[in-house]
Amino acid sequence: MAKNEPTVAVERVQTGIRLERRLLKVLKALAEYCDMTLGDLVEGIVLHSFEGKAPFEKTTLKHIEDLKRIYGLTLSANDSHRLKEKRG
């Protein structure tokens, strides 16, 4: 966010969502890398997606690829509608 842009007041709520384990690890590491909370990162991704905009620059995408490799995340957007939770 640019320093001269005004902030926008919002009301946040606590929620519990279930995410694929490796995906969550990558998101948490990315939030740390970007010096923001996981919630702020997810909000930004969703708001960009709702407008059909890419949420990340090329340098950040490169870092995401590194994190995916580190945490063994092999899922892609093509997998998003085919995920099924393991029952143990």
Side-chain angles (χ1 to χ4, degrees):
M1 181 173 75
K3 290 183 180 181
N4 58 350
E5 291 184 25
T7 59
V8 178
V10 296
E11 180 183 351
R12 291 194 168 110
V13 295
Q14 188 67 37
T15 184
I17 61 171
R18 295 173 62 82
L19 296 172
E20 198 279 333
R21 180 183 50 83
R22 296 164 299 170
L23 178 60
L24 180 58
K25 287 182 177 186
V26 170
L27 286 172
K28 286 174 134 178
L30 182 60
E32 177 69 25
Y33 172 76
C34 294
D35 195 28
M36 61 176 54
T37 68
L38 179 59
D40 287 342
L41 177 67
V42 171
E43 285 175 343
I45 292 169
V46 171
L47 290 172
H48 279 79
S49 297
F50 283 176
E51 294 184 20
K53 296 179 180 178
F56 303 113
E57 297 177 353
K58 287 183 181 187
T59 54
T60 306
L61 289 172
K62 171 64 175 118
H63 191 71
I64 291 169
E65 285 302 315
D66 293 341
L67 291 171
K68 286 173 64 176
R69 188 182 70 260
I70 291 166
Y71 292 107
L73 179 60
T74 57
L75 298 172
S76 71
N78 291 331
D79 297 315
S80 66
H81 295 287
R82 301 181 312 119
L83 302 177
K84 183 177 179 180
E85 189 165 353
K86 287 186 204 176
R87 298 290 179 191

